[in-house]
C-alpha cells in the first residue's frame, strides 16, 4: 500500500521488505506453535482426529523431518484405525536422526499387527543395536519389552535381556 492507504493516513512509513518478512516469519512460527499446542491438547483429550488435523498443519510445508509431528500423527492414525497412514508416518519418523526412542517401538508393534514377523525382527535387531548402551531405565525397558513380545533371534533376545536387567537396576537404584 504505497502512496495512499492506512500507512499514509496514520503518517507512518510503509513497512520495509525486511520488516514484512520478519513479521511473516513470526506469524508462521506462532501459528506452528499454536498447532503444536492444540495437538497436545487434543491428544490429552483423546481427540485423535484433532491430533491428526493439527499435526497435518505442522507438517503442512511439505517437510517430513519433524519426528514429533510425524509420531503424533501416526499415533492418531493408529487410534483411528488408519493403519496405512500410521505405517507411512512411522516409517518416515524412524529414519530421522535424534528421534525419540519410542518410535521404533510403535513401528515394531504395528508390524506384528500386520502379521509381518520378518519386519518386526529387523526392527528389533536394529533397535537393540541402537540402544545397546542405554543407561536410563525407561529406554532400556521399552526396547527390552518391545523385542520380547514375539520370538526373536538369540542374539537379539540376549541384548533385550541385558537391557531389561539395566532397566531393573536403574529402578532399584532410583528407589533405594
Amino acid at each position: 500500500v504505497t502512496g495512499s492507504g492506512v500507512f499514509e493516513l496514520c503518517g507512518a512509513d510503509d513497512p520495509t521488505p525486511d520488516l514484512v518478512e520478519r513479521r511473516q516469519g513470526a506469524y508462521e512460527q506462532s501459528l506452528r506453535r499454536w498447532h503444536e499446542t492444540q495437538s497436545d491438547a487434543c491428544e490429552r483429550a483423546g481427540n485423535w482426529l484433532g491430533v491428526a488435523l493439527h499435526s497435518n498443519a505442522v507438517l503442512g510445508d511439505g517437510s517430513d523431518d519433524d519426528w514429533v509431528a510425524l509420531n503424533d500423527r501416526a499415533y492418531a492414525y493408529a487410534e483411528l484405525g488408519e493403519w496405512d497412514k500410521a505405517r507411512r508416518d512411522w516409517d518416515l519418523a524412524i529414519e530421522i536422526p535424534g528421534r525419540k526412542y519410542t518410535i521404533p517401538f510403535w513401528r515394531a508393534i504395528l508390524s506384528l499387527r500386520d502379521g509381518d514377523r520378518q519386519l518386526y525382527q529387523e526392527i528389533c535387531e536394529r533397535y537393540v543395536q541402537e540402544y545397546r548402551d542405554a543407561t536410563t531405565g525407561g529406554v532400556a525397558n521399552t526396547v527390552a519389552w518391545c523385542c520380547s513380545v514375539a520370538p526373536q533371534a538369540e542374539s537379539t533376545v540376549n541384548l533385550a535381556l541385558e537391557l531389561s536387567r539395566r532397566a531393573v537396576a536403574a529402578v532399584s537404584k532410583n528407589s533405594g
Side-chain angles (χ1 to χ4, degrees):
V1 187
T2 312
S4 65
V6 174
F7 292 108
E8 186 175 294
L9 292 174
C10 296
D13 292 330
D14 287 335
T16 64
D18 179 57
L19 179 60
V20 170
E21 187 176 317
R22 286 184 301 161
R23 283 181 179 164
Q24 182 65 29
Y27 166 75
E28 289 169 3
Q29 285 178 351
S30 66
L31 182 61
R32 179 186 176 94
R33 282 192 301 271
W34 181 80
H35 281 294
E36 290 168 344
T37 302
Q38 293 304 305
S39 179
D40 290 344
C42 288
E43 184 176 356
R44 285 190 302 276
N47 176 357
W48 304 114
L49 197 55
V51 173
L53 175 106
H54 290 291
S55 297
N56 280 337
V58 170
L59 294 164
D61 62 0
S63 68
D64 287 328
D65 62 350
D66 184 330
W67 64 262
V68 174
L70 285 167
N71 183 59
D72 289 350
R73 188 171 71 180
Y75 193 89
Y77 284 149
E79 288 288 342
L80 294 167
E82 297 280 347
W83 304 111
D84 290 339
K85 292 177 180 178
R87 187 179 306 105
R88 181 196 64 224
D89 282 351
W90 275 322
D91 282 344
L92 290 169
I94 204 170
E95 299 300 329
I96 298 172
R99 51 109 175 101
K100 190 172 182 182
Y101 68 91
T102 56
I103 291 173
F105 168 86
W106 292 117
R107 185 57 187 100
I109 298 303
L110 182 56
S111 69
L112 286 177
R113 185 219 168 266
D114 293 341
D116 191 341
R117 288 270 179 112
Q118 178 65 35
L119 180 59
Y120 169 77
Q121 289 179 353
E122 290 170 12
I123 292 169
C124 282
E125 287 171 16
R126 186 172 150 195
Y127 203 18
V128 296
Q129 289 300 323
E130 182 177 355
Y131 291 101
R132 69 181 309 140
D133 298 323
T135 56
T136 56
V139 173
N141 182 64
T142 301
V143 176
W145 187 89
C146 177
C147 296
S148 59
V149 173
Q152 289 292 326
E154 187 176 346
S155 61
T156 303
V157 170
N158 289 337
L159 280 171
L161 285 171
E162 177 56 33
L163 285 167
S164 65
R165 287 186 193 103
R166 279 192 224 146
V168 169
V171 169
S172 298
K173 178 181 167 185
N174 290 334
S175 63

